């Protein structure tokens, strides 16, 4: 499969000033076309305007927001034209199931995927907007119950990246169990747990670099020697042997294809700032 030319950025939620500053300083110029997608939120006008103002405060001069829902179809000619011209596409937080319901599979969605694959654009998201980036996303599973068979639910995501689960608000909302459960059911997937105010930059669809103040948790079940998932009934606790976990902070990366943890040299840390 072709490695994408675009860049993905996912934030675990919380204060996103650092994410906006990162996009502005390293991945776009003041003249870049930025489109904020507010579909996940139930307060699109307030959210869209807040992000527009946040980017504008950093000097960005071409920022617009787009809401897609039951009353605003995705495939309007105006929307397609705007996404065709966008250099940054930013998904807000809210409910990731709304992104699947109102955006996934549309012409607009396919245009985003094609451009991400073939062009050097940036697709970013926070909270729900980050969780929906992969081909599968977690949308249910809470606390102690997330380690019971059948309690963790996943569904199709936006498929900008494959074979990854991205979970957000990870440490703050105690989501270790549900990510462990999800990757144990699908060993071909890598689990990425993002704490708030902490995120990842994914380049080439495989190199995951950390930014922000907290910790990114990586879970790898490709070397699991035993699990009881096929043996127990729904609602019973699961057992898993040899689930591998890594903790990454800023200055470190993880390669999804090789499943290798690395510390970055000073020279390799992210791209040089744009003027």
């Amino acid at each position: 499969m072709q490695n994408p030319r675009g860049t993905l950025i996912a934030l675990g939620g919380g204060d996103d000033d650092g994410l906006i500053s990162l996009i502005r300083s390293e991945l776009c110029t003041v003249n870049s076309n930025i489109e904020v997608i507010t579909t996940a939120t139930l307060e699109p006008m307030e959210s869209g305007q807040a992000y527009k103002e946040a980017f504008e405060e950093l000097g960005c001069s071409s920022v617009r927001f787009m809401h897609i829902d039951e009353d605003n179809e995705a495939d309007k000619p105006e929307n397609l034209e705007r996404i065709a011209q966008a250099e940054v596409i930013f998904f807000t937080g809210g409910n990731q199931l709304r992104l699947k319901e109102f955006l996934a599979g549309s012409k607009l969605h396919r245009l985003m995927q094609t451009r991400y694959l073939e062009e050097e654009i940036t697709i970013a998201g926070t909270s729900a907007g980050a969780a929906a980036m992969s081909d599968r996303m977690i949308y249910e599973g809470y606390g102690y119950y997330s380690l019971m068979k059948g309690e963790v639910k996943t569904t199709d995501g936006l498929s900008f990246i494959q074979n990854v689960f991205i979970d957000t608000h990870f440490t703050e909302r105690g989501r270790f169990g549900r990510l462990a459960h999800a990757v144990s059911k699908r060993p071909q997937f890598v689990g990425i747990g993002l704490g708030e105010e902490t995120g990842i930059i994914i380049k080439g669809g495989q190199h995951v670099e950390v930014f922000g103040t907290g910790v990114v948790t990586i879970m790898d079940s490709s070397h699991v020697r035993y699990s009881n998932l096929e043996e127990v009934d729904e609602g019973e606790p699961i057992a898993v042997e040899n689930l591998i976990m890594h903790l990454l902070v800023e200055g470190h990366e993880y390669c999804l294809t090789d499943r290798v943890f690395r510390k970055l040299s000073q020279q390799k840390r992210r791209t040089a700032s744009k003027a």
Side-chain angles (χ1 to χ4, degrees), residues 132-197:
M133 286 183 172
S134 186
D135 54 340
R136 299 291 296 179
M137 60 182 180
I138 303 171
Y139 68 93
E140 193 170 304
Y142 304 98
Y144 169 79
Y145 295 100
S146 65
L147 292 172
M148 302 294 184
K149 182 176 178 178
E151 292 296 322
V152 173
K153 309 294 185 185
T154 67
T155 189
D156 296 335
L158 297 179
S159 297
F160 294 114
I161 189 168
Q162 313 300 312
N163 295 335
V164 171
F165 286 117
I166 299 175
D167 211 352
T168 58
H169 306 280
F170 188 70
T171 50
E172 293 79 8
R173 300 185 185 178
R175 289 177 167 173
F176 177 94
R178 75 179 196 174
L179 188 59
H181 193 159
V183 298
S184 296
K185 288 173 63 178
R186 296 175 182 263
Q188 72 274 30
F189 278 62
V190 172
I192 304 177
L194 305 178
E196 293 180 1
E197 300 179 27

Side-chain angles (χ1 to χ4, degrees), residues 12 32 56 58 60 68 95 133 140 168 217 224:
S32 296
E56 288 176 343
L58 296 179
C60 298
I68 299 160
N95 182 347
M133 286 183 172
E140 193 170 304
T168 58
T217 302
V224 164

Side-chain angles (χ1 to χ4, degrees), residues 58-221:
L58 296 179
C60 298
S61 60
S62 181
V63 187
R64 294 188 287 185
F65 57 93
M66 180 185 302
H67 190 63
I68 299 160
D69 61 11
E70 61 270 27
D71 298 319
N72 300 278
E73 66 171 312
D75 295 335
K76 292 178 181 179
E78 178 190 0
N79 291 349
L80 292 166
E81 177 62 24
R82 285 167 57 178
I83 291 301
Q85 300 300 321
E87 291 155 279
V88 176
I89 301 170
F90 183 98
F91 291 90
T92 71
N95 182 347
Q96 59 261 43
L97 291 178
R98 290 177 57 83
L99 290 167
K100 176 186 177 182
E101 180 178 0
F102 300 120
L103 182 62
S106 65
K107 291 179 184 178
L108 192 74
H109 177 216
R110 291 194 293 272
L111 176 59
M112 293 177 184
Q113 291 176 309
T114 299
R115 294 201 61 217
Y116 169 66
L117 188 64
E118 298 177 354
E119 302 177 40
E120 293 181 356
I121 70 167
T122 297
I123 295 180
T126 182
S127 191
M133 286 183 172
S134 186
D135 54 340
R136 299 291 296 179
M137 60 182 180
I138 303 171
Y139 68 93
E140 193 170 304
Y142 304 98
Y144 169 79
Y145 295 100
S146 65
L147 292 172
M148 302 294 184
K149 182 176 178 178
E151 292 296 322
V152 173
K153 309 294 185 185
T154 67
T155 189
D156 296 335
L158 297 179
S159 297
F160 294 114
I161 189 168
Q162 313 300 312
N163 295 335
V164 171
F165 286 117
I166 299 175
D167 211 352
T168 58
H169 306 280
F170 188 70
T171 50
E172 293 79 8
R173 300 185 185 178
R175 289 177 167 173
F176 177 94
R178 75 179 196 174
L179 188 59
H181 193 159
V183 298
S184 296
K185 288 173 63 178
R186 296 175 182 263
Q188 72 274 30
F189 278 62
V190 172
I192 304 177
L194 305 178
E196 293 180 1
E197 300 179 27
T198 306
I200 52 173
I201 306 169
I202 305 179
K203 297 181 179 179
Q206 56 183 318
H207 296 290
V208 179
E209 186 177 340
V210 179
F211 70 91
T213 59
V215 176
V216 171
T217 302
I218 302 288
M219 292 191 189
D220 174 7
S221 65

